[in-house]
């Protein structure tokens, strides 16, 4: 899950981020949390793929309700959870399709309840895979996977903020991802998410984290054409 915390109180931002992290660790969720001190700072981040936005209402510059209206006007469909010290805006929050409304101070158990509901809603509209990591099952959103490789009998799943290792063969694992149009296998025992490719040359894919993924020489023409076709289709689909 990609989670934004927007609050002009440094103390409140830190506390909420810690509580969210506690939940994600307990539930073995793959997560990314970024904190913003103002609505303007958040808007300048130029990113629309947040799963959940925790948004304080009473802020300087842009208040939370105005920011929420701006986001909905820009067709941002992230779940919005308002966090505030007052119940006065609870009814108004429905106008911007808020997912929930939390009054500060926010108890961990109440936050956990909202996060469970949020994760259920996100999973219902996003594809994910479930793999065994050590002794626990980890859920990984397909769109968060940059690439996967294979080392010493383990599949290594690389996301933007960590790597998940699961003990299984590539033949067993690969069907989980190759059914999605954004994944391709550029060489044996490796798959990449073409949404994370920064550029492609004659020999390699350069991923957005600057990792170079080699292209199988025997299949170079086929792989390059598949990437070109996918890029063209994605561009035309907007």
């Amino acid at each position: 899950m990609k989670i934004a915390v927007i609050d002009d109180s440094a103390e409140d931002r830190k506390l909420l981020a810690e509580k969210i992290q506690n939940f994600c660790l307990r539930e073995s969720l793959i997560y990314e949390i970024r904190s913003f001190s103002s609505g303007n700072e958040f808007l300048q981040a130029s990113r629309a793929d947040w799963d959940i936005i925790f948004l304080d209402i009473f802020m300087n510059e842009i208040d939370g309700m105005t920011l929420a209206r701006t986001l909905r006007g820009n067709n941002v469909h992230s779940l919005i959870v308002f966090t505030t010290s007052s119940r006065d805006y609870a009814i108004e929050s429905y106008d911007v399709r808020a997912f929930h409304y939390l009054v500060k101070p926010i108890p961990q158990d109440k936050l956990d309840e909202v996060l469970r509901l949020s994760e259920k809603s996100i999973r219902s509209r996003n594809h994910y895979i479930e793999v065994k990591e050590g002794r626990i099952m980890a859920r990984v959103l397909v769109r968060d996977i940059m690439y996967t490789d294979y080392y010493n009998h383990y599949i290594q799943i690389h996301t933007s903020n960590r790597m998940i290792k699961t003990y299984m063969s590539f033949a067993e694992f690969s069907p989980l991802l190759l059914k999605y149009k954004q994944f391709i296998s550029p060489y044996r025992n490796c798959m990449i998410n073409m949404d994370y490719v920064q550029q492609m040359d004659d020999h390699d894919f350069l991923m957005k984290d600057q990792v170079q993924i080699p292209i199988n020489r025997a299949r170079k023409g086929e792989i390059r054409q598949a990437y070109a076709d996918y890029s063209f289709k994605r561009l035309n689909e907007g």
Side-chain angles (χ1 to χ4, degrees):
M1 291 195 297
K2 293 181 171 66
I3 302 170
V5 175
I6 311 170
D7 198 312
D8 58 1
S9 165
E11 182 179 352
D12 287 352
R13 284 197 310 273
K14 182 174 182 293
L15 184 59
L16 180 55
E18 287 175 350
K19 288 182 175 181
I20 295 169
Q21 183 180 46
N22 289 340
F23 173 83
C24 291
L25 290 173
R26 276 188 279 109
E27 297 294 319
S28 302
L29 298 175
I30 308 303
Y31 67 94
E32 175 187 348
I33 304 170
R34 285 190 59 189
S35 296
F36 301 89
S37 61
S38 70
N40 282 332
E41 183 186 359
F42 175 77
L43 292 172
Q44 289 168 8
S46 301
R47 177 173 170 176
D49 64 341
W50 300 105
D51 293 307
I52 313 173
I53 300 171
F54 284 90
L55 181 54
D56 183 30
I57 290 181
F58 299 109
M59 296 189 295
N60 296 322
E61 299 178 6
I62 304 177
D63 66 83
M65 200 62 69
T66 300
L67 177 58
R69 290 195 184 94
T70 299
L71 295 175
R72 293 305 190 222
N74 291 336
N75 292 317
V76 174
H77 301 294
S78 309
L79 302 182
I80 293 177
V81 178
F82 283 114
T83 61
T84 180
S85 56
S86 169
R87 299 180 185 274
D88 294 346
Y89 292 84
I91 301 299
E92 190 176 347
S93 70
Y94 289 106
D95 293 339
V96 291
R97 305 190 305 280
F99 184 75
H100 219 289
Y101 191 99
L102 293 171
V103 178
K104 300 177 183 179
I106 303 167
Q108 181 75 58
D109 60 345
K110 184 62 178 176
L111 178 63
D112 289 355
E113 178 187 342
V114 171
L115 285 167
R116 285 193 187 93
L117 292 172
S118 300
E119 200 237 342
K120 184 177 180 180
S121 174
I122 292 163
R123 279 195 284 119
S124 71
R125 63 185 187 182
N126 291 286
H127 298 289
Y128 73 96
I129 61 172
E130 195 166 32
V131 296
K132 192 170 185 180
E133 184 183 21
R135 296 182 178 180
I136 61 175
M137 298 302 294
R139 294 187 293 268
V140 189
L141 284 171
V142 169
R143 67 188 176 97
D144 287 346
I145 300 172
M146 296 192 295
Y147 56 94
T148 73
D149 51 25
Y150 187 72
Y151 178 73
N152 198 23
H153 305 293
Y154 280 88
I155 296 292
Q156 300 183 138
I157 304 170
H158 301 263
T159 71
S160 58
N161 66 328
R162 77 180 188 99
M163 180 179 72
I164 302 99
K165 294 176 67 174
T166 185
Y167 188 84
M168 60 194 305
S169 69
F170 185 79
E172 182 184 5
F173 175 75
S174 58
L176 299 178
L177 293 183
L178 289 179
K179 63 183 178 181
Y180 299 107
K181 61 184 179 180
Q182 67 266 42
F183 284 90
I184 190 171
S185 178
Y187 72 91
R188 186 170 178 268
N189 293 343
C190 174
M191 290 180 288
I192 65 167
N193 183 340
M194 291 184 281
D195 290 335
Y196 286 92
V197 172
Q198 183 169 308
Q199 66 181 54
M200 175 184 64
D201 59 29
D202 284 340
H203 308 289
D204 304 283
F205 285 106
L206 178 65
M207 307 304 288
K208 290 183 179 179
D209 63 351
Q210 303 306 301
V211 168
Q212 288 183 298
I213 307 289
I215 298 172
N216 182 292
R217 283 189 290 179
R219 297 177 52 233
K220 181 170 69 173
E222 169 198 342
I223 293 167
R224 287 173 60 83
Q225 187 61 53
Y227 177 67
D229 290 346
Y230 177 75
S231 299
F232 180 77
K233 184 176 181 181
R234 185 176 60 176
L235 182 65
N236 283 310
E237 289 176 350

